[in-house]
């Protein structure tokens, strides 16, 4: 698997297919494989004539594991995406992020709009981006617990079980969670002016309302993924079809 260094931090990535580039940014405790390869996003996008690039965020997958929360701020992590684009000499791309990756994508849309043809915010609504309703200290504590059986908090148990399933470095994830608490104000979200698609499962109680966020970001399109929660929306056909339609209208 190819990798590059952003400063001292090694970042693993994949780069497959030909055509207009799309960069995929996975969610917390996930990886490029779990979020994008196994649910067939990479193969579907390639079949639709896209060059697909996906990275393992720092602290995740095959990328470097760091243990200081300050090394995981949203601007720092979004900087890894920009560094990857520079490494591959990609001046501009569509970027799709899921959950934490959606927060990174929104930050890029606000602060580096010239690098984005469009932003797709999956698994992130007004709660996750603005109101701070995503996973909190309860999840960090669950990740640091000796075993899953020691975790009683239901949200903590969900993320701990997922981290165990993906064989993640739980100490790195706890640091990441504590470092990525940067939120966006309504005023900042209202200044995003790249084309935006917001896609959230209709039973997702982590992301918060997609339509409420869509009402703030000018011109944003909203896609409801029926009967899917935060974990199960990722590979849904409605999500894939909606994204491919959105991208086809970008030209």
């Amino acid at each position: 698997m190819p990798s590059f260094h952003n400063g001292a931090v090694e970042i693993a990535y994949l780069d497959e297919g030909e055509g207009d580039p799309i960069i995929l940014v996975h969610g917390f405790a996930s990886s490029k494989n779990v979020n994008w390869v196994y649910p067939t996003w990479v193969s579907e996008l390639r079949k639709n004539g896209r060059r697909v690039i996906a990275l393992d965020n720092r602290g995740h997958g095959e990328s470097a594991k760091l243990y200081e929360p300050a090394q995981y701020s949203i601007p720092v992590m979004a900087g890894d995406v920009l560094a990857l684009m520079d490494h591959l000499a990609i001046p501009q791309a569509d970027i799709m992020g899921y959950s934490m990756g959606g927060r990174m994508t929104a930050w890029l849309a606000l602060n580096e709009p010239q690098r984005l043809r469009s932003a797709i915010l999956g698994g992130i609504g007004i709660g996750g981006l603005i109101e701070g309703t995503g996973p909190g200290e309860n999840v960090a504590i669950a990740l640091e617990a000796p075993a899953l059986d020691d975790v009683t908090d239901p949200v903590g148990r969900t993320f701990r079980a997922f981290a165990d399933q993906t064989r993640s470095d739980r100490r790195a994830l706890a640091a990441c969670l504590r470092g990525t608490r940067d939120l966006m104000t309504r005023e900042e979200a209202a200044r995003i002016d790249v084309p935006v698609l917001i896609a959230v499962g209709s039973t997702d109680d982590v992301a918060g309302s997609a339509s409420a966020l869509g009402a703030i970001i000018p011109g944003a399109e909203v896609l409801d993924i029926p009967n899917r929660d935060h974990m199960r929306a990722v590979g849904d056909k409605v999500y894939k079809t909606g994204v491919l339609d959105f991208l086809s209208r970008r030209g």
Side-chain angles (χ1 to χ4, degrees):
M1 188 62 63
S3 66
F4 77 106
H5 281 81
N6 184 18
V9 179
E10 185 175 14
I11 301 293
Y13 67 95
L14 63 81
D15 180 2
E16 299 182 6
E18 297 177 357
D20 290 333
I22 181 166
I23 298 172
L24 309 179
V25 189
H26 67 75
F28 175 72
S30 191
S31 69
K32 62 185 181 308
N33 287 336
V34 171
N35 220 145
W36 307 119
V37 176
Y38 303 152
T40 71
W41 272 106
V42 173
S43 56
E44 286 288 324
L45 288 162
R46 286 186 62 184
K47 277 195 294 187
N48 280 268
R50 303 301 297 246
R51 177 185 177 186
V52 186
I53 297 120
L55 74 160
D56 279 334
N57 289 322
R58 54 176 60 202
H60 297 73
E62 298 172 83
S63 290
K65 309 303 185 292
L66 311 167
Y67 302 104
E68 295 297 326
Q71 295 172 300
Y72 292 100
S73 71
I74 292 293
V76 167
M77 294 186 72
D80 291 335
V81 179
L82 294 174
L84 175 57
M85 293 176 71
D86 292 342
H87 173 70
L88 297 174
I90 296 172
Q92 191 180 55
D94 297 292
I95 301 183
M96 174 163 65
Y98 195 84
S99 194
M100 178 185 74
R103 291 167 65 198
M104 294 162 62
T105 303
W107 188 94
L108 290 167
L110 175 64
N111 293 283
E112 300 285 343
Q114 73 281 1
R115 305 300 300 269
L116 282 76
R117 291 178 74 244
S118 71
I120 301 166
L121 310 180
I124 189 91
I126 195 168
L129 187 64
I130 294 173
E131 295 176 346
T133 59
E137 183 64 16
N138 56 325
V139 174
I141 292 169
L143 290 166
E144 293 172 330
L148 178 62
D149 288 346
D150 298 308
V151 181
T152 56
D153 177 81
V155 177
R157 278 187 67 87
T158 298
F159 278 92
R160 171 57 186 266
F162 186 60
D164 287 347
Q165 177 191 338
T166 55
R167 297 183 178 86
S168 297
D169 183 323
R170 293 183 287 104
R171 190 160 68 94
L173 290 184
C176 176
L177 187 58
R178 292 181 172 121
T180 53
R181 290 183 173 162
D182 329 54
L183 297 172
M184 190 173 282
T185 66
R186 282 175 167 77
E187 292 73 24
E188 286 171 331
R191 295 206 308 270
I192 293 175
D193 63 358
V194 303
V196 171
L197 174 68
I198 304 165
V200 174
S202 64
T203 61
D204 187 334
D205 56 5
V206 175
S209 170
S211 57
L213 181 59
I216 295 170
I217 299 176
E221 298 182 29
V222 174
L223 174 67
D224 291 316
I225 306 166
N227 306 311
R228 291 286 187 245
D229 62 18
H230 194 69
M231 299 296 185
R232 294 188 304 133
V234 175
D236 190 87
K237 288 181 181 176
V238 172
Y239 183 16
K240 292 193 184 106
T241 302
V243 166
L244 290 170
D245 173 65
F246 175 76
L247 290 171
S248 72
R249 290 183 281 112
R250 302 267 61 77

